[in-house]
Amino acid sequence: MSVSARAAEAKASVEMVTSFFESMGDVASDPEALDFTFGNPHEMPLPGLTSAMSAQLEPRSVDWFAYKSSQRLAQEAVSAGLRAELGMDFEPDDIAMTQGAFGAISLALAMLADAGDEVVIPVPGWFCYPPMLHAANLAPVGAALDPVTFDLDIDAVARAITPRTRLVIVNSPANPTGRVYPREAWDALAAVLEEASRTHGRRIWLVSDEPYRRIRFDGIDFASPAASYPWSVIVYSYGKVLLAPGQRLGYLALSPLLPSEERAELRSACMPVQLAIGWGFPNALMQYSAPALESISIDIAELTRKRDRMHDALTRAGYALTRPEGTFYLWGRAPGGDGAAFCRELAAHGVYLMPGTMFDQPAHFRISLTATMEMIERALPTLVAAPERS
């Protein structure tokens, strides 16, 4: 692709995201709006979050709020949590504390890829992947998920890989579909990446984007691809499980299965690269709070009730929806097959959803379940009636 063509593609992907954000401006100021677009809170913050932060607010030394890179107490808390959760031998030095998942992805891109490299991303997938890749002068290459089940299509990933491929990004539980992929899928993907790395003579890295890892329904298990493919890094954000996306805390974790020499090289690279990309560390208060935040979570039982209420009511009304295994989203096909038109129609009735065009799926839409149950009950009559109007 030429420089001018790449610039045009980057401009288009950024404009799509920014135009949707701009279109939402009036919603935030409307107290009656039924906003199901983003995973923002609609109730007061979790008490455990506010108490954890309050406990660290009073300075205990003159440098309490000085420049902070990755703090040891935060790295220790994260590595201990990962060992318990994933059963892998993470060490504190494997952890780089970041400004949420955005910061962790930016760090991974800066450390692992060079300008002009290709990055394979899922379609549908998080709408910020393409703009972030373009901003890093990397080329996004889509690999379609199964169009019916939204399973990871290993053959599609294999077809998307070229000699220029440097990274593959995966997301489980997946935004927007809510799918949680099993260990067997990661084992199959690992075999493809190992073979492609050998064929093309350069290592392909795997970025596992896991900000919804602790938000799963019905007791479904979680497997990380970092346990299947040694050349993996894990991206995590606390903003989802705490339902506090404005408090930027996350991390990048290196797979403990990495060969020791490469593991040591990446460990030593994290701090200088984070400095180079603009002091990419979370603020001091959030890092001090990390040990307490490891055990705080959104109410999964209440979220399950919201999922079931919305999913079951809309399914009875004739909608084709996925039943999410994780995240706090519902993903469905728009009545009439035009997601943008469907969302505009609902907005005219005060109900706001996210159109599938944000995910390169123009026939679909996404509902965020972080709304209150009262909002869901108020929105359901409008949503149930929509297919009849289409």
Side-chain angles (χ1 to χ4, degrees):
M1 181 183 292
S2 67
V3 173
S4 60
R6 187 180 299 125
E9 188 176 290
K11 184 173 183 289
S13 70
V14 171
E15 285 180 346
M16 180 191 69
V17 175
T18 55
S19 64
F20 181 74
F21 274 81
E22 289 169 358
S23 74
M24 295 299 296
D26 294 339
V27 178
S29 61
D30 180 2
E32 297 302 313
L34 298 173
D35 183 5
F36 298 87
T37 53
F38 295 98
N40 274 322
H42 292 274
E43 298 174 283
M44 292 302 289
L46 299 174
L49 169 62
T50 53
S51 61
M53 295 173 63
S54 297
Q56 305 299 332
L57 188 57
E58 188 66 31
R60 299 172 194 174
S61 64
V62 295
D63 65 348
W64 195 247
F65 300 124
Y67 283 115
K68 301 295 180 184
S69 57
S70 293
Q71 295 294 283
R72 195 66 177 182
L73 82 169
Q75 292 173 301
E76 290 173 348
V78 168
S79 59
L82 283 168
R83 287 195 299 272
E85 197 171 352
L86 301 183
M88 300 173 66
D89 192 21
F90 288 89
E91 298 177 2
D93 288 338
D94 294 323
I95 311 302
M97 303 305 298
T98 65
Q99 296 164 331
F102 272 105
I105 293 172
S106 295
L107 176 58
L109 299 180
M111 284 202 306
L112 300 175
D114 297 319
D117 282 344
E118 292 179 349
V119 180
V120 177
I121 58 175
V123 180
W126 186 41
F127 50 80
C128 285
Y129 291 143
M132 291 186 73
L133 293 171
H134 287 306
N137 200 20
L138 302 170
V141 177
L145 302 175
D146 182 284
V148 177
T149 65
F150 299 104
D151 284 332
L152 191 66
D153 188 332
I154 304 300
D155 290 336
V157 174
R159 290 192 299 270
I161 293 173
T162 76
R164 291 176 53 201
T165 303
R166 186 59 164 173
L167 300 174
V168 173
I169 299 178
V170 293
N171 176 215
S172 177
N175 176 13
T177 67
R179 291 303 315 278
V180 178
Y181 302 124
R183 174 66 183 263
E184 294 76 20
W186 303 136
D187 289 345
L189 179 60
V192 165
L193 298 185
E194 184 60 39
E195 175 63 24
S197 297
R198 196 161 46 244
T199 298
H200 298 303
R202 69 189 306 222
R203 175 56 59 187
I204 298 173
W205 289 81
L206 187 64
V207 177
S208 181
D209 189 12
E210 304 178 5
Y212 302 96
R213 189 179 66 228
R214 294 171 175 172
I215 304 176
R216 307 190 309 278
F217 302 113
D218 308 320
I220 192 168
D221 290 333
F222 177 82
S224 173
S228 298
Y229 187 65
W231 292 272
S232 298
V233 296
I234 292 173
V235 167
Y236 187 77
S237 170
Y238 287 86
K240 309 302 183 185
V241 75
L242 299 176
L243 201 51
Q247 293 298 328
R248 309 303 299 159
L249 181 67
Y251 58 78
L252 183 77
L254 310 178
S255 172
L257 302 182
L258 263 174
S260 58
E261 187 172 322
E262 290 167 282
R263 192 178 180 189
E265 184 179 2
L266 287 182
R267 283 177 169 183
S268 64
C270 283
M271 197 280 186
V273 172
Q274 284 181 275
L275 187 154
I277 62 177
W279 201 255
F281 303 96
N283 66 41
L285 183 64
M286 292 306 293
Q287 292 206 62
Y288 300 149
S289 304
L293 297 180
E294 270 289 301
S295 60
I296 299 169
S297 172
I298 186 174
D299 187 339
I300 302 298
E302 177 63 13
L303 186 60
T304 302
R305 286 191 287 273
K306 293 176 183 178
R307 178 202 64 168
D308 292 347
R309 176 67 175 126
M310 185 71 92
H311 176 273
D312 294 351
L314 296 187
T315 299
R316 286 194 299 269
Y319 284 82
L321 297 170
T322 61
R323 187 177 182 83
E325 299 163 323
T327 75
F328 36 58
Y329 304 118
L330 281 181
W331 177 246
R333 186 173 182 85
D338 186 336
F342 173 68
C343 290
R344 285 194 299 270
E345 179 197 342
L346 288 172
H349 292 82
V351 178
Y352 297 86
L353 312 183
M354 185 171 285
T357 48
M358 295 288 289
F359 308 92
D360 199 24
Q361 301 286 288
H364 288 74
F365 65 92
R366 192 192 75 177
I367 296 175
S368 173
L369 296 171
T370 60
T372 65
M373 188 64 85
E374 186 266 343
M375 290 171 64
I376 290 173
E377 295 297 344
R378 286 172 55 203
L380 274 174
T382 300
L383 286 163
V384 167
E388 299 174 4
R389 296 192 297 267
S390 298

